[in-house]
Amino acid sequence: MASKALSSSLSRRCFNPTARLLRNGPRPFAAAARRTLLEAYRPAIYVAGQRRAITSTARSRLAEAQESFDPRQQERESDEVDVCIVGGGPAGLSAAIRLKQLANEAGNEDFRVLLLEKAGELGDHIVSGNVIEPSALNELLPNWNAEDNPNRFEHVTAAKADKMRFLTKTMAIPIPKPPQMNNHGNFIISLNQFTKWLGERAEEIGVEIYPGFAASEVLYNSDGSVRGVATNDLGISRAGKPKDSFERGMEFRARVTLLAEGCHGSLTKQIVKKFDLRRDSQHQTYGLGIKEVWEIDPEKFQSGLVVHSMGYPLPSNTYGGGWMYHFGENMVSIGLVVGLDYPNPWLSPYGEFQKMKHHPLYKSTLEGGKCISYAARTLNEGGFQSIPKCAFPGGALIGDTAGFLNVPKIKGTHTAMRSGMLAAEATYTALTSTDEGSVFLYDYEDKLRSSTIWSELKTVRNMRPSFHTPLGLYGGVMYSGLEAYVFRGKTPWTLKHGKPDHAATKLADKCKKIEYPKPDGKISFDILTSVSRSGTNHEEDQPVHLQVKDWDKHAQLEWPKYKGVENRFCPAGVYEYVEDESKDIGVRFQINAQNCVHCKTCDIKVPDQDINWTTPQGGEGPKYVLT
């Protein structure tokens, strides 16, 4: 980069390097010039609202409207790296670590791997149960839990006992657990803690990690291949005008770009469409996972207990199930996953979760305890049939953004990590074999098909779609039992998924209305209380990142048919219909974007598909704890 551009950048921006050091620790492997450039760019965590714990700067005031000023015409600063990874979850971090392992082993210490994460800190946006199968972790970092390793990951609880229950309203009936759910040798963890630890291991070997940088645009070469990504502009008002805090986004150019955005990534959506990556696969189907972490009475704590349930409170035409994991010191992870192909628009996944906690199976554990954290996130449930082409010109999809979750096993961390490692190996081979031209990771596709990811998902491919039979829940349970114990994935057929999740929604007047009990404030809570436990925060004066072109038109389309389905499918109270006599339909559609926990349910489930989830300013959103 030209020194003049760098000098100009530093002269017009303010940055507190001490604050960054306190927040992220030293980065001994990043060159000083590169670090100065990147630190000159201020992620939104430094300018957004109530998270300004390390600065006393007042919230930026609005600049005067400049109708002729188009911020997109300003030149963006750029950085050149070998590999750019978007997303700091297990897949992205595993890819980054494996790349640097390969480069360092070859003596190629100048090989640059840069990882961008939209959350203010690694792990802030990550949600999972999580019972981890350590196979991929054992391969990536063999001494990850060794007693003689001073940096070992200590926050693990060995899974000691499994329980599977079918729930009626008052009973918990023991049922056999399928072989896939045997957790012997697995560990209960907080994926939030694990991701932070994995990030530290990545930095130790030279990965450049920049949390608070929200990649919002894909960059392309003249031949159409992916060139890298750009982060979003900062300091744009809600009306779309630049404020006096305006900062142009940065470009990160790379020969290979790996997308590890997690479920339904905003850039992944664009890439899948541009390169038609779903041409040979079925559509993706999704679930919404809602989770709380509780500190419970020590007398009720059973370290290593893993409990799964199905049935109540969900109706028989809705796929899903609950969990409760005892981990750490008197901690319990409890949650419910609801398949987003549910038909009744009156159903509220959040309301179902609150009901579930009052079932004796769960209430007996939670009573007398304290809820300390809340989170929600969608997950891919399509499995084998829904895996798209994962390589594209200039990059690849890895982890849950590609859809490697094993639904019957209720595990995806090990497959996400392994996909990242396979992509890293294919990437390093490709980049060290040629010095110029666009890169296509053919080897990654081949490695996936010969990996345990492929065989594991193929074996269970018919279990999730079996719940679309006319027998619903009971038919799915019976068929899944046959697959688990008899067929073992060797059947010559592959079942198809039903309608896409948004198209599965029926009209409100054709479905039974569901009334949810009022929360008691002890076991169950209102939605805003839960959102407050997610730590979510967005600067109010910025463009709404939940894009709806015409709010009035949206209301006219959705309200008469679905009577406010957005109110109910959102687990964060983002969407509302407010009575308004000035509107023809008597209500006004409203988006409370500040509440958003980045679960992306709206983008998936809205019937007319006119809500587009995009990234807000970097560093914003939830700040999860122990999720």
Side-chain angles (χ1 to χ4, degrees), residues 47 260 385 448 490 622:
V47 298
Q385 296 91 319
L448 278 176
K490 296 178 181 178

Side-chain angles (χ1 to χ4, degrees), residues 23-59:
R23 193 168 67 91
N24 291 328
R27 302 185 184 277
F29 298 94
R34 296 172 188 147
R35 185 169 60 243
T36 303
L37 168 63
L38 289 167
E39 290 176 343
Y41 174 77
R42 295 178 297 164
I45 192 167
Y46 301 116
V47 298
Q50 55 187 277
R51 288 218 202 141
R52 293 177 286 112
I54 55 177
T55 177
S56 58
T57 306
R59 184 180 293 226

Side-chain angles (χ1 to χ4, degrees), residues 523-552:
I523 301 294
S524 52
F525 310 98
D526 65 85
I527 201 164
L528 293 183
T529 296
S530 293
V531 172
S532 71
R533 292 185 177 127
S534 73
T536 199
N537 174 61
H538 298 83
E539 184 180 13
E540 184 174 358
D541 189 28
Q542 65 173 299
V544 175
H545 67 280
L546 305 158
Q547 295 178 351
V548 178
K549 290 183 179 179
D550 187 326
W551 292 17
D552 287 337

Side-chain angles (χ1 to χ4, degrees), residues 29 35 58-59 86 182 205 220 225 278 318 332 343 348 365 378 382 479 511 555 560 566 569:
F29 298 94
R35 185 169 60 243
R59 184 180 293 226
V86 179
N182 181 1
I205 62 171
Y220 297 97
S225 61
R278 289 208 170 277
T318 299
V332 161
S348 163
T365 298
T378 51
Y479 184 87
C511 298
E566 307 92 327
F569 65 51

Side-chain angles (χ1 to χ4, degrees), residues 404-600:
F404 296 131
L405 174 70
N406 185 327
V407 176
K409 201 172 190 175
I410 320 179
K411 289 176 182 61
T413 302
H414 68 295
T415 51
M417 293 180 69
R418 189 169 300 283
S419 71
M421 294 156 64
L422 295 176
E425 292 165 2
T427 296
Y428 192 75
T429 298
L431 291 182
T432 52
S433 300
T434 178
D435 293 329
E436 57 185 29
S438 61
V439 176
F440 194 94
L441 301 179
Y442 296 102
D443 196 28
Y444 175 48
E445 293 277 3
D446 293 340
K447 285 176 176 288
L448 278 176
R449 282 163 175 74
S450 61
S451 73
T452 56
I453 299 173
W454 208 258
S455 57
E456 184 178 318
L457 295 184
K458 187 175 182 180
T459 299
V460 300
R461 68 191 183 281
N462 287 327
M463 291 189 180
R464 174 65 176 91
S466 71
F467 286 80
H468 290 297
T469 68
L471 293 177
L473 172 66
Y474 305 104
V477 170
M478 289 187 290
Y479 184 87
S480 294
L482 287 173
E483 281 284 359
Y485 293 103
V486 181
F487 301 152
R488 299 181 183 275
K490 296 178 181 178
T491 55
W493 59 80
T494 295
L495 300 180
K496 293 184 177 180
H497 296 299
K499 298 176 181 178
D501 295 344
H502 68 275
T505 312
K506 294 183 177 180
L507 299 178
D509 60 7
K510 302 295 184 182
C511 298
K512 181 180 179 181
K513 191 171 184 179
I514 302 174
E515 298 288 349
Y516 290 96
K518 185 178 179 180
D520 66 359
K522 297 177 181 178
I523 301 294
S524 52
F525 310 98
D526 65 85
I527 201 164
L528 293 183
T529 296
S530 293
V531 172
S532 71
R533 292 185 177 127
S534 73
T536 199
N537 174 61
H538 298 83
E539 184 180 13
E540 184 174 358
D541 189 28
Q542 65 173 299
V544 175
H545 67 280
L546 305 158
Q547 295 178 351
V548 178
K549 290 183 179 179
D550 187 326
W551 292 17
D552 287 337
K553 183 179 179 181
H554 173 89
Q556 291 166 1
L557 273 174
E558 303 290 333
W559 174 260
K561 294 184 288 186
Y562 305 107
K563 301 301 180 186
V565 64
E566 307 92 327
N567 291 18
R568 294 180 287 275
F569 65 51
C570 176
V574 170
Y575 300 99
E576 286 186 284
Y577 282 95
V578 182
E579 290 187 9
D580 189 335
E581 294 181 358
S582 68
K583 303 295 182 182
D584 293 340
I585 57 175
V587 293
R588 167 173 49 85
F589 181 60
Q590 181 170 302
I591 301 177
N592 306 309
Q594 297 93 322
N595 289 7
C596 180
V597 293
H598 299 196
C599 73
K600 304 182 183 176

Side-chain angles (χ1 to χ4, degrees), residues 22 114 143 164 178 216 278 307 309 314 376 397 399 417 446 477 491 531 613 623:
L22 288 171
L114 184 140
N143 69 338
M164 187 77 185
S216 61
R278 289 208 170 277
V307 180
S309 69
L314 298 178
L397 309 178
M417 293 180 69
D446 293 340
V477 170
T491 55
V531 172
W613 192 97
K623 189 172 179 61

